[in-house]
Amino acid sequence: MNPRQRRGVLLISLAVVLAGVVFVAISGYLRDVRSQLGPMLTIVASSADLTAYTPIQPEHLITAEVPERWAPPNTFRDPQELIGMVTSADVPQGTLMTTGLVRERPSVEPGQREIAILIDAETGVAGKLRTGDVVDIFATFAGDAEAGILPSSRIVVQRAQILEVGALVTDEDETFNVTTSVPITFLLSIADARTLTYVESFASSVRLALRSPLDDSLLDDGQTIYQPRADDLGRLGDPLPIRPIEPEPEPEPEPEPGPEPDEPDETEAEPEPEPDETDDEQEADA
């Protein structure tokens, strides 16, 4: 081996040694960095600018790997956790999705109202109502005999969704009668909410009828009202329309009394008696 070849082998050996030294140094540096940064963590960020109250869809999200020590504690880790929520503020692109930037989608949609009333625990579906159940709301009206309004029972709201069932409320009146009620919160349309408010104020009783959530059928108006026969309220009969009582004819006015005739004056002189015919005849004979 000539001197030139020996120098080449030496240079190659030196390059290998230096490469090994560099590899060891880089590996040590990476281990040191990893030990300082900690494990990596997957987080969720926005893939586009989102305005407030935007329903979050899968295309609005991306994932990224960051050191766990740098990830905020309230950052979402799984994109599926955000699907169906809405943003509570404007979210620029690339923002880490945290719990303060999103909220649950409101259960009340436009055109709906959330309304609560007290239902008698005995006449309602006691112990069987749960959040998400669907019920029909029945109301009974006593009627007014003087006005010709018959008593009736009506289905005032069909397919009312229950949002919440409250705790039992016990009330005692002046006569020491104890009643137990349950506050029920419904999700209704504006028209049904008005109807329920009126019913709670003026109906003699309100009851709930639990129905299957798969039952989408609705009754016609003629099938939601029941009234007994007007001529036999003590026995069940066919529904009849409300018939007003005809007003009684007004009595004819009595004639006004005229002026009373003048009574005879008791002070007037009595008429003179007529002469007796027998006396005149006796005078003539004489």
Side-chain angles (χ1 to χ4, degrees):
M1 180 179 297
N2 56 36
R4 181 177 294 180
Q5 291 176 338
R6 285 196 297 271
R7 285 197 300 270
V9 172
L10 182 59
L11 291 175
I12 293 173
S13 301
L14 182 59
V16 171
V17 172
L18 292 176
V21 172
V22 171
F23 176 77
V24 172
I26 293 176
S27 299
Y29 174 77
L30 293 178
R31 284 194 300 269
D32 183 54
V33 170
R34 289 194 184 98
S35 64
Q36 294 180 9
L37 298 179
M40 302 298 287
L41 189 67
T42 301
I43 59 173
V44 182
S46 61
S47 61
D49 294 334
L50 303 177
T51 58
Y53 305 106
T54 300
I56 299 177
Q57 303 297 331
E59 58 269 19
H60 297 154
L61 306 173
I62 57 173
T63 58
E65 296 286 337
V66 297
E68 185 177 7
R69 61 183 301 177
W70 290 353
N74 56 349
T75 305
F76 286 93
R77 315 290 174 83
D78 186 0
Q80 293 301 322
E81 297 177 353
L82 290 163
I83 304 303
M85 292 187 173
V86 296
T87 55
S88 57
D90 294 340
V91 179
Q93 181 179 1
T95 303
L96 299 181
M97 301 301 294
T98 60
T99 55
L101 295 177
V102 295
R103 54 176 294 184
E104 293 289 342
R105 190 168 185 172
S107 57
V108 180
E109 300 290 343
Q112 293 181 328
R113 295 296 183 269
E114 189 175 317
I115 184 171
I117 64 171
L118 288 174
I119 297 294
D120 192 294
E122 297 180 359
T123 59
V125 189
K128 293 186 177 180
L129 295 179
R130 299 289 185 272
T131 300
D133 285 345
V134 179
V135 297
D136 288 341
I137 303 178
F138 286 72
T140 302
F141 297 90
D144 189 345
E146 295 182 357
I149 301 176
L150 300 176
S152 63
S153 176
R154 305 166 184 245
I155 304 177
V156 294
V157 178
Q158 301 185 61
R159 289 191 53 79
Q161 181 182 353
I162 295 178
L163 288 183
E164 185 178 358
V165 179
L168 291 176
V169 178
T170 303
D171 186 24
E172 183 176 349
D173 59 16
E174 297 178 354
T175 60
F176 303 102
N177 292 325
V178 178
T179 58
T180 304
S181 304
V182 182
I184 307 293
T185 304
F186 298 96
L187 180 63
L188 302 174
S189 65
I190 297 177
D192 287 342
R194 287 200 306 262
T195 301
L196 185 57
T197 302
Y198 175 86
V199 165
E200 185 189 22
S201 301
F202 298 102
S204 57
S205 66
V206 179
R207 298 171 181 253
L208 304 182
L210 185 63
R211 61 186 293 170
S212 170
L214 303 178
D215 183 7
D216 295 332
S217 61
L218 296 176
L219 298 177
D220 298 332
D221 292 339
Q223 298 175 304
T224 60
I225 303 175
Y226 174 80
Q227 287 177 314
R229 289 185 181 275
D231 56 352
D232 188 6
L233 295 179
R235 185 181 64 202
L236 294 179
D238 297 331
L240 289 177
I242 296 175
R243 295 181 297 181
I245 298 176
E246 297 181 359
E248 297 181 359
E250 298 181 359
E252 296 181 0
E254 298 181 357
E256 297 181 359
E260 297 181 356
D262 297 336
E263 296 181 356
D265 190 0
E266 297 180 353
T267 60
E268 293 182 359
E270 296 181 358
E272 295 182 359
E274 295 181 358
D276 192 358
E277 294 182 356
T278 56
D279 295 341
D280 293 345
E281 291 177 355
Q282 291 178 358
E283 290 179 358
D285 291 341

